[in-house]
Amino acid sequence: MTPETIEAHGVRLRPFRPADEADVVAGCADPLTQRFLDGLPSPYTEADARWWITEGAPAAFAAGGAAYAVADPATDRLLGTIGLSHAMPPRRQAEIGYWVHPDARGRGVATAATRALAERAFTDGIERLELLAQVENVASQRVALATGFRPEGIRRGGGRARDGGRRDLAVWVRLADDPPGPYPRLLPDLPGGRLTDGVIVLRPLGPEDTDEMYRLNTSPDVVASRVPPGPPAREEIVRRSVGAAHQWLVGTVASMTILDAASGSVAGTCMLLHDQPGGQGMLGYSLFPQWRGRGFATRAVRLLARWGFEQVGLARLWAGTLPENQASRRVLERAGFRYEGLLRARLPGAEGSRGDSTVYGLLPGELRD
């Protein structure tokens, strides 16, 4: 690509100028940019910005990629940067990346710039664009969805963190002949960010829930009915909490935290596992002992089931329990689920054993209030 100005979708992509120095410093020194963008000097100084403007950005074009300033067409003020890197001409492939100035976030700048640069890249002969984001970088993955990129999986340890460790990267890809976007969501956001019946609240599971989820999943009574048996490692709970938003965005699992509406205390967790080809979903739930016996699990199942039928568009929901777990079976029956059978030796047990599982099903119109 050549460093010519591109104007499209309400933004201007242009070469960097000396006047951009202060805005480049403000953007690259911002904690959020530092957290999610590999390789930035820390602290980021005026000298770093001058090097980028005079040497770094021009070198990106010379290497077969691109490095543009994203500017406001009305004022020409820098709003962020966007570019192409890791160009592989034989494969007609490159990686797209960006950051947005703190004052310009929430205005669709990254989405507009990504659309504009992707269109130009495809016009210039690129056939495959990759967008990589740390798994916990939800905002960047929403940009990917909005601009027609599709999820392709996780690149384990694909990025480096400030502490010297490695971070998993979510891989999003758009081909030249893919529709421009947005890519359809299989699991929509919760209306208003939560579900509630006035007694409990369901909100998306997040990293802030790690400690409570570890405490819940290592409690003896939860471990006793866990599959596979045994307490989880804390690292497993961390990955689950950090990656929950990614799983929701790619349409595989909607994991939620159950809160007591009056106090805001964490009462437990629930989830909907989406079986997209089959048009159905599986429900799961768990409560802390002190919140049991209050109907919280039944309320959570009802809220989750209604959202699954009305918002996700599922044709069927199902859930399984251990045959001896009478409390869980009563929860499902109170919500309208019907017993459908017993799957023998379905679940892995302790020391190589196998356990049976009941199966309950629910169809639209059968949900009980």
Side-chain angles (χ1 to χ4, degrees):
M1 300 186 69
T2 56
E4 59 187 31
T5 298
I6 303 168
E7 298 217 28
H9 304 288
V11 293
R12 173 181 296 155
L13 310 187
R14 59 161 174 79
F16 285 89
R17 298 169 184 166
D20 296 325
E21 182 181 311
D23 286 326
V24 170
V25 172
C28 290
D30 176 71
L32 199 61
T33 308
Q34 288 275 325
R35 177 184 175 189
F36 288 131
L37 198 60
D38 290 347
L40 281 181
S42 181
Y44 196 92
T45 67
E46 290 83 356
D48 296 317
R50 285 194 295 272
W51 175 87
W52 173 253
I53 292 169
T54 60
E55 299 183 44
F61 285 99
Y68 284 101
V70 182
D72 184 328
T75 64
D76 205 41
R77 176 77 180 269
L78 184 135
L79 304 176
T81 72
I82 192 166
L84 299 177
S85 61
H86 301 95
M88 303 177 68
R91 298 184 181 180
R92 297 183 180 273
Q93 174 179 312
E95 179 183 327
I96 193 167
Y98 45 79
W99 60 257
V100 175
H101 193 284
D103 293 342
R105 290 173 186 157
R107 292 161 46 184
V109 171
T111 298
T114 300
R115 283 182 176 143
L117 186 53
E119 289 171 1
R120 176 57 60 88
F122 292 141
T123 300
D124 287 355
I126 293 291
E127 296 179 354
R128 173 183 165 93
L129 282 175
E130 291 188 349
L131 192 160
L132 306 181
Q134 291 185 28
V135 169
E136 60 266 40
N137 190 346
V138 178
S140 190
Q141 294 179 73
R142 288 184 180 275
V143 170
L145 281 165
T147 51
F149 284 72
R150 304 184 185 189
E152 282 199 351
I154 299 296
R155 189 167 295 173
R156 296 185 304 139
R160 292 194 62 83
R162 291 288 173 187
D163 59 9
R166 303 202 68 85
R167 294 290 184 270
D168 292 346
L169 298 178
V171 181
W172 298 78
V173 171
R174 183 177 160 193
L175 303 181
D177 56 357
D178 283 340
Y183 185 68
R185 291 277 302 276
L186 299 177
L187 291 172
D189 293 328
L190 300 181
R194 66 178 197 163
L195 302 174
T196 185
D197 62 1
V199 176
I200 67 166
V201 173
L202 305 185
R203 63 156 173 78
L205 178 74
E208 68 276 11
D209 298 312
T210 297
D211 290 342
E212 288 291 84
M213 291 303 102
Y214 182 67
R215 189 166 67 88
L216 173 63
N217 283 277
T218 54
S219 61
D221 54 335
V222 172
V223 170
S225 59
R226 189 173 180 271
V227 179
R234 183 175 178 83
E235 291 73 19
E236 177 185 338
I237 302 301
V238 170
R239 284 195 301 271
R240 188 184 307 171
S241 300
V242 169
H246 167 76
Q247 294 294 328
W248 197 310
L249 287 175
V250 301
T252 54
V253 185
S255 298
M256 306 184 197
T257 303
I258 304 171
L259 305 177
D260 172 45
S263 66
S265 300
V266 174
T269 183
C270 61
M271 62 118 185
L272 188 152
L273 180 66
H274 189 210
D275 175 15
Q276 190 268 333
Q280 64 178 342
M282 184 191 79
L283 299 187
Y285 46 86
S286 185
L287 289 177
F288 282 109
Q290 65 267 32
W291 296 103
R292 295 172 191 165
R294 308 187 189 194
F296 277 28
T298 303
R299 290 176 178 275
V301 167
R302 286 172 178 153
L303 286 171
L304 200 52
R306 183 171 292 109
W307 178 73
F309 288 137
E310 296 179 0
Q311 302 296 318
V312 183
L314 299 177
R316 165 184 157 82
L317 289 168
W318 71 276
T321 73
L322 297 174
E324 62 270 22
N325 191 344
Q326 295 298 325
S328 188
R329 297 177 70 170
R330 285 194 294 271
V331 165
L332 295 172
E333 289 164 357
R334 283 195 293 266
F337 281 76
R338 300 184 186 182
Y339 177 74
E340 293 184 344
L342 183 73
L343 298 180
R344 296 179 301 153
R346 174 177 178 264
L347 304 174
E351 299 179 352
S353 64
R354 305 289 301 183
D356 298 341
S357 173
T358 63
V359 177
Y360 283 79
L362 182 73
L363 303 181
E366 297 177 347
L367 181 65
R368 297 177 187 167
D369 291 328

